[in-house]
Amino acid sequence: MKQYRLLIVDDEQRFANMLAKRLRLRGCHCDICYNGQQALDLVRRESFFLILLDLHLPDIYGIEVLKRIKATSVMTPVIILTGHGTEEDRRTCMHEGAYAFWHKPLGIDELMATLARIGEMPP
Amino acid sequence: MIDRIRRAFRSIWPEFYRQDKQHLDPYFTFTDYRKIWAIGIFVLVATALVPLLVITIIHYQLLQESVESELTLRAERLASNARRAVTFFLEERLDALRFTVNEIAYGQLTDPDHLAEILRNLKLGFGGLTDLSVISHTGTQVAYAGPFNLEGRNYSNQRWFIECQKHHFYVSEIFRGYRDIPHIIIAAKSFRPDGSFFLLRATLETERLIQTLSTYETGAHAEIFLINRSGIVQTPSKYYGDIFQKISLPVPAYSQRTQVAMAEDDQRRSIILGYAYISTQIADSPFILMVVKQKAGMMKVWQQLRSSINWFVGLCTLTILVVVIITCTFIINKLYLADKSKAETMALMEQSNQLASIGQLAAGVAHEINNPLALINETAGYVKDLFVLKEQFHQDDELIGYIDDILDAVERCGTITSQLLGFARKFEVKIQKVSLKEIISDVLVFHNKEAAYRSIQVHVEVPEDIPAIETDRGKLQQVLVNLVNNAFQAVDNGCILDIAASSAGVDKVRITISDNGCGMPEETLPKIFEPFFSTKEGDKGTGLGLAITYGLVKKLQGEISVKSKVLEGTTFTITLPTRIQKEISENEGSTG
C-alpha cells in the first residue's frame, strides 16, 4: 500500500488520536493538530497528501482554516469532517474548494477508497 | 325528507353562523361574527327606517291638518251661505210688512177685501204667506185675510204681541199654534193718526224655508237645520232630534259671526259643527242655523290616501329589511371567510414554525450525538483493526462479532441522526421526468400482497392527459410509500383506499390519497407532521414517518396538507410543481 501522508485537524483529541492510529495501521503517515493555527503552521512547512479538517476548532473556524490552506497549497485536497455541519456550511466549504464534506461518524473503508481514488488521479 | 330540508337549509345558512372551527379561534381577528352581523343589520336598518318613519308621521300630521282645515273652511262657507239665505228670507218678508203698514192706511187695512187683496199681492211677490191679520193695540184681531178665520181672538197676553209692542218688529220661532201646523209669525208695528198703535201680522209657511235650507245640503254627510235658542229643533233633522224636540247636541254659545268647531255627537261620532245666530237688520230672530258634517264620511279620501301610504311604507320597510339582511349576511360572510383563511394560514405558519424549531432542535441533538458516535466508531474500529490486523488476536471470531455489533449500532444511530436532520443527504437530487401513473403503480407493487390478504380495495385514478412531471423520483417514491403505508396502517380490513392525481393550475399537479379508515380527531391534525408524534399505540410507530414525508415534500418544492374526520377517514393532498426549480448542486460525497 502506498504511504500517504495525512493531516488530521480536530479538537476532539481522543477521536483524532484513534483515527490516526487506525490510519497508521493501514500504512498511512498521520500528523495531528488540535487547533487551527497549529495546522496552518504545519501546512506551511510540510506538504500533505490529504487533510481531514474539523469545522469547530477552538481558535479559528474551520472554513477560515480551509481558505488559508487553499491560499498556500491549492493542490492539497481537504475533506471537511464534522459533527455539526449545516447545509450552509456545506455549500460554503464546497465553494471554497473542499474535496468533500463528510459527517461524523466516519467510515474508514470509504476514507481508504477515497485515498486510493485521489492517488490514482493525474497530478 | 326532513333531513333533505335540513341539508338545504344548512347549505344556504351563512358559514359564520356555525362557528365550529374551534381550534382556529385564537387566530381570528373578530371573535363574535353573529354579534357583528346583528349590530350591522340593526344600524343599517335603523339608519334607513328611522328617517322614513319620521317623515311618514310628519306627512300624516300635515295631511290631516290640511284636510281638517279644508273641511272646516268648507263648513264655514256653507254655514255663512245658508245664514245669508235664511236672513234674506226673513228680511224680505219683514220689509214687505213694514212697507205695507207704512204705505196703507189703517182704515184700508182693516177692510177685509183690501186685506185679502194685499195678501194676494204679497203671495204673488214673495210666496210662502198663509194669512194676514191686523191686531189693534188692545190685542184683538180686527181684520183677517186667509184660510183660518180667527177674527175677534185676543192676543194681548201672547209673547209675540208683547215683544212686538217693545221692538216694533217681531219674528217668532216655529210653532204649531191654534192651527196645529208648523209656522212662523212675523209682525210689524205701526201708529194710527190718533196715536194708538196696531200690528200687521203675517203667518209664514215653513215649507219655503225648509226648501231653501235643503238646497244647501251637499252630500250625505252634511245636514243643515234650524234650532231655537233653547235648543228645540225647528226644521227636520235626520240625526239630531225630531222637530219640536230638544236637540241631542249642546246649544252653541252666542256669537255674532259664523263659527265652526270640532265636536262629538251623542253617538260619539266626530263631527264638524258650523253654526250661526240668525239676526236680521230689522229684527232679531230666535233661530240658530246648524250645519253638521259627519267627519268620518268626509275623511274617506284621506283614509284611502293613508292606507296607500301605509302600504307603501310597509313595502319599503320590507324591501329595506330584505336588502339589508342579504347585504349584511353576504359582507359578513365574506369577512368571515377572509378572516378564516387568514386564521388557517396563521395556524399553518405557526405549525411550520414549530416544525422548523423542532427540526432545529433535532438537528442540534443529532450533531451533539455525532461526536461521541464518531469516537465510539473510531475506538471500536481501532479495536477491530487490532484484532484483524495483529496476528495474535485474529482468531477470536466471538470478540470480532461483538465489535461488529457495536459498529452496526453506531451506523444505525448515524442513520437515525441523519434522518432526524431531515436532509436525506444520501440521495442526491436527481431530476428526471416522472409519469405519475407509473410511479403510483410502482409504489403499489409493494402493497399488492397486503391489500389482497386484507381485502383492501385500492382505486387509482390518474387521467391520461396529465403530463409527466420533472422531479426527484426517489423522493417522490419515498413520499408515496410513506403515505400509502400510513393509510394501510389506518384502515381496517375491507376498507377502500383512493389514490387520484389531477392538474392543479397551469404548473402544478395534485395527488390525493384518501382512506375511509378510522380518521383522526381535529385537535391532532396540526401535530401529525411533527417529529416523534404518533397516534399508533405502543412502539408500532417511530413518529418520524410523516415528519420525514413533510421534509421530503418541501424538498420537492411542494405542499402537503391533511383533512380528517373521526370514523370517516383521512385525505392527504400533495401539490407538486410540474417542474422542480434546480438547486445549486455540487459534487458532494457522503459517509452517511
Side-chain angles (χ1 to χ4, degrees):
Chain A
M1 185 176 275
K2 210 170 162 184
Q3 170 102 32
Y4 299 120
R5 186 165 185 202
L6 308 183
L7 174 61
I8 301 169
V9 188
D10 200 309
D11 62 330
E12 286 267 338
Q13 299 192 6
R14 282 184 297 170
F15 170 75
N17 293 340
M18 202 52 82
L19 183 59
K21 274 185 177 177
R22 295 188 75 191
L23 287 169
R24 279 172 199 142
L25 279 178
R26 283 167 174 75
C28 298
H29 178 90
C30 285
D31 289 293
I32 305 168
C33 294
Y34 300 131
N35 62 55
Q37 193 53 56
Q38 211 182 347
L40 286 172
D41 293 343
L42 197 58
V43 169
R44 214 168 292 136
R45 288 199 312 270
E46 315 274 343
S47 94
F48 293 94
F49 181 73
L50 177 81
I51 301 171
L52 286 168
L53 178 62
D54 187 17
L55 284 184
H56 296 267
L57 296 172
D59 53 349
I60 312 169
Y61 193 63
I63 293 173
E64 187 55 35
V65 177
L66 171 66
K67 277 186 196 169
R68 292 193 202 166
I69 290 173
K70 281 287 157 186
T72 53
S73 43
V74 69
M75 291 307 289
T76 311
V78 179
I79 291 177
I80 305 294
L81 182 60
T82 178
H84 295 252
T86 63
E87 191 67 16
E88 177 90 31
D89 288 338
R90 186 182 70 83
R91 280 195 201 137
T92 317
C93 290
M94 299 310 285
H95 188 75
E96 292 297 335
Y99 181 79
F101 189 95
W102 288 353
H103 279 271
K104 292 176 186 174
L106 166 80
I108 192 96
D109 295 335
E110 199 171 337
L111 175 60
M112 294 314 292
T114 308
L115 285 175
R117 212 161 49 232
I118 296 171
E120 283 163 14
M121 282 199 303
Chain B
M1 182 66 189
I2 293 171
D3 208 43
R4 197 179 301 167
I5 293 170
R6 197 175 296 159
R7 232 176 299 141
F9 195 62
R10 206 178 299 157
S11 69
I12 57 163
W13 202 241
E15 207 170 321
F16 67 85
Y17 217 84
R18 295 187 212 132
Q19 291 194 333
D20 46 6
K21 294 259 174 216
Q22 281 170 3
H23 72 278
L24 286 178
D25 281 356
Y27 303 106
F28 273 101
T29 308
F30 302 111
T31 46
D32 197 344
Y33 274 89
R34 298 183 197 189
K35 199 170 151 192
I36 297 173
W37 180 69
I39 291 175
I41 287 180
F42 176 77
V43 169
L44 285 182
V45 167
T47 316
L49 281 190
V50 166
L52 180 71
L53 294 178
V54 167
I55 282 184
T56 307
I57 291 167
I58 291 174
H59 185 71
Y60 266 14
Q61 281 176 346
L62 281 179
L63 211 61
Q64 187 157 9
E65 270 170 28
S66 79
V67 168
E68 274 183 3
S69 86
E70 173 66 21
L71 287 179
T72 310
L73 200 70
R74 272 200 243 166
E76 193 175 344
R77 207 180 308 142
L78 185 61
S80 296
N81 289 344
R83 174 200 195 173
R84 259 196 299 283
V86 174
T87 310
F88 180 72
F89 177 89
L90 294 172
E91 263 178 6
E92 201 178 35
R93 280 148 188 81
L94 281 169
D95 272 337
L97 280 195
R98 181 160 67 177
F99 175 80
T100 310
V101 289
N102 289 339
E103 181 63 25
I104 298 163
Y106 180 73
Q108 284 175 307
L109 279 176
T110 50
D111 174 11
D113 292 339
H114 203 118
L115 197 64
E117 179 68 25
I118 293 168
L119 177 64
R120 200 164 49 248
N121 284 335
L122 284 176
K123 268 186 180 171
L124 215 60
F126 304 102
L129 273 81
T130 312
D131 59 13
L132 267 180
S133 53
V134 180
I135 289 107
S136 72
H137 66 281
T138 58
T140 311
Q141 181 166 294
V142 289
Y144 177 84
F148 312 98
N149 196 352
L150 301 166
E151 211 165 320
R153 191 174 285 268
N154 192 289
Y155 293 105
S156 61
N157 54 356
Q158 293 234 338
R159 193 167 142 249
W160 65 266
F161 182 78
I162 300 161
E163 286 286 320
C164 195
Q165 260 182 317
K166 271 191 225 159
H167 297 112
H168 299 272
F169 293 95
Y170 176 72
V171 178
S172 80
E173 46 190 72
I174 296 173
F175 65 108
R176 290 187 194 278
Y178 297 122
R179 286 161 272 177
D180 204 24
I181 293 168
H183 60 278
I184 306 171
I185 289 169
I186 56 173
K189 179 178 158 189
S190 189
F191 291 95
R192 287 165 58 184
D194 61 0
S196 64
F197 72 91
F198 68 97
L199 305 180
L200 181 64
R201 188 188 86 149
T203 308
L204 303 180
E205 292 166 3
T206 54
E207 290 306 311
R208 187 63 76 93
L209 186 60
I210 291 166
Q211 257 177 28
T212 309
L213 286 179
S214 70
T215 56
Y216 287 92
E217 281 183 9
T218 50
H221 314 292
E223 204 183 351
I224 305 176
F225 57 95
L226 294 174
I227 59 170
N228 68 14
R229 293 189 182 190
S230 47
I232 304 297
V233 177
Q234 299 281 284
T235 62
S237 157
K238 268 179 265 174
Y239 302 113
Y240 303 104
D242 293 330
I243 195 157
F244 301 130
Q245 297 295 310
K246 180 87 179 165
I247 188 172
S248 59
L249 298 170
V251 178
Y254 177 77
S255 165
Q256 280 191 321
R257 296 171 49 82
T258 309
Q259 295 291 337
V260 175
M262 299 287 170
E264 270 186 354
D265 64 10
D266 56 336
Q267 315 261 325
R268 304 199 64 78
R269 290 174 295 204
S270 283
I271 53 170
I272 299 165
L273 176 66
Y275 67 92
Y277 275 72
I278 305 283
S279 169
T280 67
Q281 284 183 349
I282 302 164
D284 205 6
S285 95
F287 299 119
I288 306 170
L289 176 82
M290 302 287 280
V291 174
V292 182
K293 285 185 162 191
Q294 302 270 352
K295 209 168 154 191
M298 313 295 295
M299 297 293 271
K300 199 166 263 171
V301 177
W302 149 237
Q303 269 156 3
Q304 278 167 356
L305 190 66
R306 193 166 64 175
S307 138
S308 311
I309 293 173
N310 285 348
W311 272 108
F312 175 75
V313 170
L315 221 64
C316 277
T317 309
L318 198 71
T319 313
I320 288 170
L321 276 178
V322 169
V323 169
V324 163
I325 288 174
I326 290 176
T327 313
C328 247
T329 310
F330 181 76
I331 290 173
I332 299 288
N333 210 31
K334 282 276 175 214
L335 191 68
Y336 171 76
L337 290 179
D339 204 1
K340 191 176 120 189
S341 98
K342 186 206 78 176
E344 278 168 356
T345 312
M346 279 175 72
L348 211 65
M349 269 168 60
E350 199 178 282
Q351 186 193 338
S352 317
N353 266 348
Q354 218 171 358
L355 280 179
S357 57
I358 291 172
Q360 275 173 359
L361 185 72
V365 170
H367 285 149
E368 287 307 318
I369 289 174
N370 275 347
N371 275 328
L373 272 185
L375 183 58
I376 296 169
N377 189 43
E378 294 319 317
T379 315
Y382 178 63
V383 174
K384 188 183 168 190
D385 285 352
L386 287 180
F387 281 4
V388 174
L389 299 175
K390 300 271 173 170
E391 288 199 349
Q392 67 263 41
F393 297 118
H394 83 272
Q395 299 294 334
D396 200 337
D397 286 340
E398 195 187 351
L399 270 177
I400 290 175
Y402 292 148
I403 292 164
D404 280 339
D405 286 349
I406 297 175
L407 289 172
D408 278 353
V410 169
E411 197 182 328
R412 268 210 328 274
C413 288
T415 311
I416 291 175
T417 53
S418 73
Q419 272 193 348
L420 259 184
L421 291 171
F423 298 132
R425 281 202 187 86
K426 279 189 281 185
F427 316 102
E428 272 184 46
V429 181
K430 274 187 207 139
I431 296 166
Q432 61 194 104
K433 282 216 173 217
V434 177
S435 149
L436 289 176
K437 197 168 187 125
E438 222 173 271
I439 197 168
I440 290 171
S441 63
D442 281 356
V443 166
L444 288 175
V445 167
F446 299 115
H447 298 87
N448 279 345
K449 267 199 178 141
E450 192 185 353
Y453 173 67
R454 292 176 57 194
S455 58
I456 293 170
Q457 296 178 46
V458 182
H459 297 155
V460 181
E461 197 187 319
V462 183
E464 291 297 331
D465 59 342
I466 201 160
I469 62 170
E470 285 180 27
T471 190
D472 184 312
R473 187 187 184 92
K475 286 196 175 74
L476 181 55
Q477 202 163 352
Q478 202 184 349
V479 166
L480 293 173
V481 167
N482 281 353
L483 291 177
V484 172
N485 268 339
N486 208 61
F488 266 67
Q489 282 161 3
V491 300
D492 292 326
N493 294 355
C495 283
I496 299 170
L497 182 68
D498 282 316
I499 303 175
S502 59
S503 288
V506 191
D507 50 1
K508 280 183 177 163
V509 291
R510 187 185 296 127
I511 304 170
T512 55
I513 297 174
S514 12
D515 62 66
N516 62 346
C518 53
M520 284 175 281
E522 203 153 359
E523 313 87 76
T524 66
L525 284 186
K527 296 184 201 147
I528 63 161
F529 294 121
E530 290 173 13
F532 308 115
F533 178 82
S534 176
T535 55
K536 292 159 197 153
E537 280 168 24
D539 52 358
K540 269 170 87 182
T542 59
L544 283 175
L546 283 175
I548 290 168
T549 306
Y550 184 89
L552 287 172
V553 173
K554 289 278 165 198
K555 266 263 184 265
L556 294 175
Q557 297 164 2
E559 299 287 336
I560 182 167
S561 64
V562 60
K563 276 184 184 163
S564 187
K565 258 197 175 159
V566 175
L567 299 178
E568 283 182 24
T570 307
T571 301
F572 283 95
T573 306
I574 312 165
T575 314
L576 294 172
T578 48
R579 180 180 293 215
I580 196 166
Q581 296 295 313
K582 251 192 180 171
E583 276 186 77
I584 317 152
S585 68
E586 295 94 6
N587 178 18
E588 175 193 359
S590 168
T591 61

